[in-house]
Amino acid sequence: MAHILDTEHLLAISGKKRNDRDDEDGDATVAKKSSLMACEADPAVALASIRHEFGEHGGVNMSIEASATFTVMEPDTMRRMFAGELGPENDFFVYSRHFNPTVLNLSRKMAALEGTQAAYCTSSGMAAISSVLLQLCSSGGHVVASKTLYGGTHALLSHFLPRTCNITTSFVDITDHGAVADAIVEGRTHVLYFESMANPTLTVADTPELSRIAHEKGVMVVVDNTFTPMVLSPVKFGADVVVHSISKFISGGADIIAGAVCGSEKLVKGMMDLRGGSLMLLGPTMNAKVAFELSERIPHLGLRMKEHSRRAQVYAERMRELGMKVIYPGLKDHPHHKLATEMVNREYGYGGLLSIDMETEERANKLMTYLQNATQFGLMAVSLGYYETLMSCSSSSTSSELDPSQKAAAGISPGLVRMSVGYAGTLEQKWTQFEKAFIRM
């Protein structure tokens, strides 16, 4: 029962219940054109181009379909659904671990956001990452990955997958394209994996060149775009799959755990296949109520990202003037500033993350203590994308899965403070709070 979750098919759904597939041809033709336009457009344009889902009784918001299972009018319909003849593209649903109408609505928005044919939403970002890797790699398979990754992803690749699945990973400096090419073993390497903007060093990946290298050797490119939704669009530059922790900027409220896989129609069909799909069989299902909540937040994601980025740019420039060692791609002295400028969707800046290298953990902790407890500039907490500024010492928190040598190789110093810049209060109010803490340091 491998069904398709893509913009074309979902736009073709007329909203009528239980229609036969043959009645949809005219709508599908129009939908295909809309889908292609959305994939090529600015993310905000793409999101505004998809069909709006109305509620069951005409409400402006889509109704929440909380059912785990779905009824049919005739016994043969169930047989046809399990045979793959009928599916969600025709408004036929069988079980919410497979497809759910409310989750489909959010997934359609994620596909539009990243300009992909299809998307599927999961219960967490790590569920999205692990499911994609397990779908693309078999036992004995090989991954080439950036040595600078979120700690959980690094642990998955370096410990869990080798132990449980016999899938190994070669970690490389993603900015050394020669090393990337040399690490790929043709016929064995299945995936090149990296973050569009690395956690926590904010290294910017050259997605066009990395995609060219991988594709020349028949390797799929999977990019984690959690740090830069709206800001960067990896698929435009050659990526095959984009994964997200929706828990971060897309949610924006630090109150939901969720993820997404955005890719080709073929990939999503495969991941939802009854007999061999990683999403279908491992079951990292998103709750329909969570999907509804997130669907209501995506329309203002662009506005939020612009303000996150604007403040991060101003703070980074002012911190630099104070003599601090600041890492931010929007600064002209960032080593990848020119590359980032060529790739970013201009209206959205360079992202809402910046890092400050305090050199030692003691100094990093002292700064964060003053910023939270003395001046209320931000909060000591992991994660990112919240309306309040969040800060953590990466070496001892979100990158703690790496051993000391791996941290050194990744460029993560003991005193690196990762800061997710929020937009609560006014910019000048919050900057005054930062300055007061800096003076006390």
Side-chain angles (χ1 to χ4, degrees):
M1 186 176 178
H3 299 310
I4 299 168
L5 166 55
D6 71 315
T7 313
E8 172 183 341
H9 285 80
L10 292 172
L11 280 170
I13 299 173
S14 66
K16 301 174 184 176
K17 291 288 184 183
R18 303 297 195 250
N19 280 345
D20 188 84
R21 177 180 298 171
D22 294 336
D23 296 333
E24 303 286 345
D25 291 344
D27 287 338
T29 301
V30 175
K32 185 172 184 179
K33 293 179 182 178
S34 299
S35 175
L36 291 173
M37 288 173 62
C39 289
E40 295 172 359
D42 173 274
V45 175
L47 285 167
S49 299
I50 61 176
R51 189 191 66 184
H52 185 91
E53 292 283 356
F54 292 97
E56 183 179 1
H57 302 291
V60 295
N61 292 317
M62 182 183 184
S63 301
I64 301 174
E65 181 50 81
S67 299
T69 190
F70 299 82
T71 189
V72 295
M73 298 301 293
E74 300 172 357
D76 190 57
T77 301
M78 189 172 293
R79 180 198 63 78
R80 294 181 67 193
M81 287 194 292
F82 274 85
E85 297 172 12
L86 296 172
E89 66 271 18
N90 318 105
D91 213 18
F92 286 89
F93 299 89
V94 62
Y95 190 63
S96 281
R97 176 160 55 87
H98 189 249
F99 282 120
N100 172 283
T102 313
V103 180
L104 281 179
N105 183 47
L106 174 63
S107 300
R108 187 169 67 249
K109 291 181 179 181
M110 290 302 302
L113 173 65
E114 288 298 348
T116 57
Q117 291 178 325
Y120 189 80
C121 294
T122 61
S123 55
S124 71
M126 285 305 300
I129 294 167
S130 57
S131 297
V132 165
L133 293 174
L134 289 170
Q135 189 69 30
L136 297 178
C137 301
S138 301
S139 178
H142 180 245
V143 176
V144 174
S146 170
K147 62 186 179 183
T148 309
L149 294 172
Y150 164 60
T153 308
H154 197 284
L156 174 73
L157 291 167
S158 60
H159 300 296
F160 185 84
L161 291 181
R163 175 174 61 84
T164 60
C165 306
N166 192 30
I167 297 170
T168 58
T169 298
S170 297
F171 293 97
V172 297
D173 179 352
I174 207 68
T175 66
D176 185 343
H177 298 156
V180 173
D182 290 342
I184 294 174
V185 181
E186 292 191 58
R188 181 165 171 258
T189 304
H190 297 101
V191 171
L192 173 61
Y193 185 96
F194 56 90
E195 295 166 346
S196 51
M197 196 171 288
N199 182 3
T201 62
L202 305 185
T203 299
V204 180
D206 189 343
T207 303
E209 181 61 15
L210 291 166
S211 298
R212 183 192 65 78
I213 292 169
H215 293 157
E216 282 184 354
K217 300 195 175 190
V219 172
M220 294 278 284
V221 177
V222 179
V223 180
D224 184 337
N225 200 34
T226 297
F227 272 27
T228 47
M230 306 295 291
V231 175
L232 291 170
S233 301
V235 170
K236 289 201 300 189
F237 299 104
D240 300 297
V241 184
V242 175
V243 292
H244 274 279
S245 171
I246 301 182
S247 318
K248 312 303 192 295
F249 283 110
I250 295 174
S251 166
D255 58 344
I256 288 175
I257 301 295
V261 177
C262 307
S264 69
E265 175 182 303
K266 180 180 178 181
L267 174 69
V268 174
K269 282 181 64 176
M271 296 182 78
M272 290 304 291
D273 183 76
L274 267 180
R275 296 167 182 83
S278 59
L279 286 172
M280 182 61 189
L281 297 178
L282 296 176
T285 308
M286 174 179 282
N287 185 286
K289 296 171 185 177
V290 169
F292 175 82
E293 283 277 345
L294 292 167
S295 293
E296 298 301 293
R297 301 178 190 193
I298 285 184
H300 48 74
L301 173 62
L303 296 175
R304 291 187 281 116
M305 289 308 301
K306 289 178 182 179
E307 187 61 12
H308 282 299
S309 295
R310 183 180 79 90
R311 294 198 182 196
Q313 181 75 42
V314 172
Y315 293 163
E317 291 172 355
R318 293 182 181 182
M319 289 173 187
R320 177 55 50 84
E321 291 173 1
L322 292 175
M324 305 185 82
K325 187 177 180 181
V326 188
I327 304 167
Y328 184 68
L331 294 175
K332 292 183 179 179
D333 61 356
H334 187 282
H336 308 131
H337 174 73
K338 181 179 179 183
L339 172 65
T341 301
E342 292 171 352
M343 292 195 300
V344 296
N345 296 313
R346 297 298 174 90
E347 292 186 23
Y348 303 100
Y350 294 85
L353 273 295
L354 62 83
S355 292
I356 307 169
D357 191 351
M358 298 301 292
E359 298 181 350
T360 69
E361 185 177 351
E362 181 183 3
R363 285 174 52 80
N365 291 341
K366 187 177 181 181
L367 174 65
M368 292 189 295
T369 298
Y370 284 139
L371 288 172
Q372 174 181 281
N373 300 334
T375 69
Q376 292 76 53
F377 171 79
L379 304 173
M380 284 185 278
V382 297
S383 199
L384 51 117
Y386 192 43
Y387 56 82
E388 292 281 3
T389 294
L390 302 180
M391 51 198 173
S392 59
C393 183
S394 297
S395 179
S396 58
S397 59
T398 54
S399 297
S400 61
E401 294 91 340
L402 283 68
D403 64 37
S405 64
Q406 291 171 329
K407 291 175 189 175
I412 303 170
S413 84
L416 191 68
V417 176
R418 189 188 73 183
M419 191 173 287
S420 170
V421 177
Y423 51 80
T426 68
L427 187 153
E428 294 303 331
Q429 172 195 13
K430 303 307 286 187
W431 176 249
T432 298
Q433 293 171 339
F434 184 90
E435 277 190 315
K436 288 180 179 178
F438 177 76
I439 292 170
R440 292 193 64 172
M441 281 286 291

